[in-house]
Amino acid sequence: MARRRTGLSPRHKKILTFLETFLSEHGYPPSIREIGDHTQISSTSVVNYYLNQLAEMNYLERDSNVSRGINLLKTSNGSLLQNVNNAVTNLTEQLVSVPLVGNIVAGEPMPVPASDFSYYDPDSGIDVARSLLPAGDRLEDLYALRVHGDSMIDAMVNDGDIVVMKKTNQARNGEMVAIWLNDRDETTLKYFYLENGQVRLQPANPTMKPIIINDPSIVEVQGKVVLVIRRLDQ
Amino acid sequence: MARRRTGLSPRHKKILTFLETFLSEHGYPPSIREIGDHTQISSTSVVNYYLNQLAEMNYLERDSNVSRGINLLKTSNGSLLQNVNNAVTNLTEQLVSVPLVGNIVAGEPMPVPASDFSYYDPDSGIDVARSLLPAGDRLEDLYALRVHGDSMIDAMVNDGDIVVMKKTNQARNGEMVAIWLNDRDETTLKYFYLENGQVRLQPANPTMKPIIINDPSIVEVQGKVVLVIRRLDQ
DNA sequence: CTTGACACCGAACATTTGTTCTGTTATTAT
DNA sequence: ATAATAACAGAACAAATGTTCGGTGTCAAG
């Protein structure tokens, strides 16, 4: 009887390590010839031989007659990979591009995007760490607006600031919301309180007085502010 | 002139979605023909046409004359996507953890960290997209402070806001800097101007008056503000 | 010494695959 | 109505790519 294979040989390990490195750098697996080139195996049939063994040992799956048809399942140190991108998707969802859909100015109702963002230009999104955004909020409910003019200073928001909004038309007490006031033809950002049938709109600047609205029906909530970003380098 | 492309068309999105799904199920990208088969595009040259556009818009990279030579970078909802093993590296490049080193309050000189951040606990960093930070600035010159108290409202900065600072002890005109005023025992954030031998410290709130300092030597610049972040969900 | 299994190999071939070429059609501005 | 451009298409071709075939060499068991 010949010698019996016990686990991974040095050549197995070399192939697996090369697979991991190549995949992480390129986003797709190497070809049989590329594996051979980088592991000093001169024959495609030997690479094929070893890949089949790694498949038997559940380090990878192969799809036959498919170029680069290798799905890496385990690394050379035995760590499981479910597949190429499932692990990464969890990581890379940490950085989100929030669509910048327009400007917010006092004298106009602010733009609220349609549901599908079909006009959306990805180059104009604002990159935001997921950890700065409210947990549990769906990303597709978020959009960004750039502040235009000095009219939001009572909200402690400057001309040029970015506000990240969540779509909503209902406010809870203590939330900062964008409100269109019908009687004044004005958009404003304020903390919202509904008290005894009246609406109190509290400026962010604590030295300023609130607006009291006796008739809540003239208050149109257009969105909730979840984040303000001010870049000072521009 | 014909119609102009604005962002992703439905076919772009369909292709991206298929790429994501295929990649997550198979561990390798689809071929041109597989993409066509699943997106009702009958011609390999049209698939090629759309893939080239997605590459131009930085949703993916293509390697030419390589089978399945597609490296998916962004998903159809704009989330950044990277490969398994360099996900952390790429996130480090695009998503930065700026060390949160303490609080800034008016009555104290603000903390300025030592050069090496040897005490730095990465779990207490603030995650910031690299694209929001000044280009060219070294990340190790940046640190974050949390604002404590209402004393910064003239800088349009609220209690609880995060300011990202760059280490510097020199200010250029128009930059917002953190300044320790010796004669007042006070830290303040203001736009700095040196005019005719005097320092003008201009509040961010345009309705407020500047401070004029005749003797520039009592002005200690402790850092430059590069970003302000206000989270409203907490 | 013989045998069987494993490791290893080059070459040939078929299939897969991406690019290029040469168009047509649709859309929009002029 | 015309022109310019984008979107779309089929076919051809070359290159990339995986599988198969027919071997050789090594080693351990009998």
Side-chain angles (χ1 to χ4, degrees):
Chain A
M1 179 171 294
R3 58 191 178 278
R4 192 180 303 278
R5 189 175 66 248
T6 59
L8 295 177
S9 72
R11 257 195 171 166
H12 287 119
K13 290 174 181 172
K14 204 170 191 179
I15 289 173
L16 277 174
T17 299
F18 177 70
L19 277 170
E20 293 169 64
T21 302
F22 189 97
L23 191 53
S24 71
E25 287 172 2
H26 292 84
Y28 54 83
S31 65
I32 304 296
R33 284 171 177 82
E34 282 164 338
I35 295 170
D37 290 342
H38 289 84
T39 55
Q40 288 69 55
I41 302 175
S42 55
S43 164
T44 55
S45 75
V46 175
V47 176
N48 192 55
Y49 168 81
Y50 279 109
L51 288 177
N52 286 337
Q53 287 181 338
L54 288 165
E56 285 167 15
M57 295 188 278
N58 291 319
Y59 282 86
L60 53 85
E61 288 171 344
R62 294 192 76 192
D63 287 332
S64 98
N65 291 311
V66 164
S67 70
R68 304 173 191 272
I70 298 172
N71 184 13
L72 190 60
L73 300 179
K74 273 201 256 180
T75 66
S76 54
N77 64 8
S79 298
L80 282 167
L81 301 172
Q82 286 189 341
N83 52 45
V84 172
N85 278 354
N86 265 10
V88 176
T89 301
N90 293 333
L91 289 170
T92 55
E93 280 174 357
Q94 294 180 22
L95 185 68
V96 165
S97 183
V98 179
L100 182 66
V101 300
N103 290 325
I104 180 169
V105 285
E108 301 167 8
M110 68 180 218
V112 180
S115 295
D116 62 357
F117 292 112
S118 56
Y119 57 87
Y120 170 47
D121 179 358
D123 289 339
S124 67
I126 297 294
D127 295 327
V128 178
R130 188 70 184 83
S131 61
L132 297 179
L133 296 168
D137 277 353
R138 300 188 318 159
L139 298 180
E140 55 268 45
D141 286 341
L142 301 177
Y143 58 97
L145 298 167
R146 191 183 301 276
V147 173
H148 193 69
D150 287 337
S151 53
M152 303 291 173
I153 59 174
D154 60 344
M156 304 288 279
V157 173
N158 266 351
D159 182 44
D161 286 2
I162 301 291
V163 288
V164 176
M165 309 293 303
K166 176 183 174 181
K167 289 182 200 170
T168 183
N169 53 16
Q170 292 185 321
R172 286 199 279 267
N173 281 353
E175 291 182 339
M176 176 172 280
V177 292
I179 287 170
W180 173 252
L181 294 169
N182 282 316
D183 62 344
R184 300 186 186 196
D185 280 346
E186 180 186 356
T187 293
T188 187
L189 300 177
K190 292 211 172 21
Y191 292 108
F192 175 97
Y193 297 92
L194 181 59
E195 297 168 334
N196 302 323
Q198 289 179 324
V199 169
R200 172 163 63 95
L201 300 179
Q202 184 70 45
N205 188 329
T207 64
M208 287 177 154
K209 291 191 170 103
I211 299 174
I212 306 296
I213 310 286
N214 291 314
D215 179 11
S217 72
I218 70 167
V219 171
E220 279 185 38
V221 175
Q222 294 190 300
K224 167 184 163 181
V225 181
V226 297
L227 188 70
V228 178
I229 294 170
R230 181 178 307 145
R231 301 174 66 174
L232 277 300
D233 59 309
Q234 290 174 328
Chain B
M1 178 172 289
R3 62 187 178 277
R4 194 179 303 278
R5 186 174 73 251
T6 59
L8 293 179
S9 70
R11 258 202 169 156
H12 288 119
K13 290 177 181 172
K14 204 169 193 182
I15 290 171
L16 278 173
T17 301
F18 176 70
L19 278 170
E20 293 168 58
T21 302
F22 189 99
L23 190 51
S24 69
E25 286 171 3
H26 292 86
Y28 55 83
S31 66
I32 302 296
R33 284 171 177 78
E34 283 164 337
I35 294 171
D37 290 341
H38 288 85
T39 56
Q40 289 71 51
I41 300 174
S42 58
S43 163
T44 55
S45 76
V46 176
V47 177
N48 191 55
Y49 170 81
Y50 278 106
L51 288 178
N52 285 336
Q53 287 182 339
L54 288 167
E56 284 168 16
M57 293 188 280
N58 292 320
Y59 281 86
L60 52 85
E61 290 171 341
R62 296 190 73 194
D63 287 333
S64 98
N65 291 310
V66 166
S67 70
R68 305 174 190 273
I70 297 171
N71 185 14
L72 191 60
L73 300 178
K74 272 203 252 188
T75 65
S76 55
N77 67 7
S79 295
L80 290 162
L81 183 65
Q82 292 294 341
N83 308 320
V84 173
N85 287 342
N86 65 3
V88 171
T89 302
N90 284 328
L91 281 172
T92 310
E93 287 168 2
Q94 302 183 54
L95 184 68
V96 165
S97 183
V98 178
L100 181 68
V101 301
N103 291 324
I104 179 170
V105 286
E108 301 168 7
M110 66 179 223
V112 179
S115 296
D116 61 358
F117 290 111
S118 57
Y119 57 87
Y120 170 47
D121 179 0
D123 288 340
S124 67
I126 297 293
D127 296 327
V128 179
R130 184 71 185 82
S131 61
L132 295 179
L133 296 169
D137 276 353
R138 302 189 316 159
L139 298 180
E140 55 268 46
D141 287 341
L142 301 177
Y143 58 98
L145 298 167
R146 189 184 302 277
V147 173
H148 192 71
D150 287 335
S151 53
M152 303 290 174
I153 60 174
D154 60 343
M156 304 287 279
V157 172
N158 267 353
D159 183 41
D161 287 1
I162 303 293
V163 289
V164 177
M165 310 294 303
K166 175 183 174 180
K167 290 182 199 169
T168 182
N169 53 17
Q170 291 185 320
R172 286 199 279 265
N173 281 354
E175 290 181 339
M176 176 173 280
V177 291
I179 288 170
W180 172 254
L181 294 170
N182 281 316
D183 60 345
R184 300 188 186 193
D185 281 346
E186 178 185 358
T187 292
T188 188
L189 301 177
K190 288 201 170 35
Y191 292 107
F192 176 96
Y193 297 91
L194 182 60
E195 297 168 334
N196 300 324
Q198 290 179 324
V199 168
R200 172 166 61 97
L201 300 178
Q202 184 71 43
N205 189 328
T207 64
M208 287 177 153
K209 292 196 171 97
I211 298 172
I212 306 297
I213 309 288
N214 291 313
D215 179 8
S217 73
I218 69 168
V219 171
E220 278 185 38
V221 174
Q222 295 190 298
K224 167 185 164 182
V225 181
V226 298
L227 188 69
V228 179
I229 293 170
R230 183 177 308 145
R231 300 175 66 174
L232 277 300
D233 60 308
Q234 292 173 328

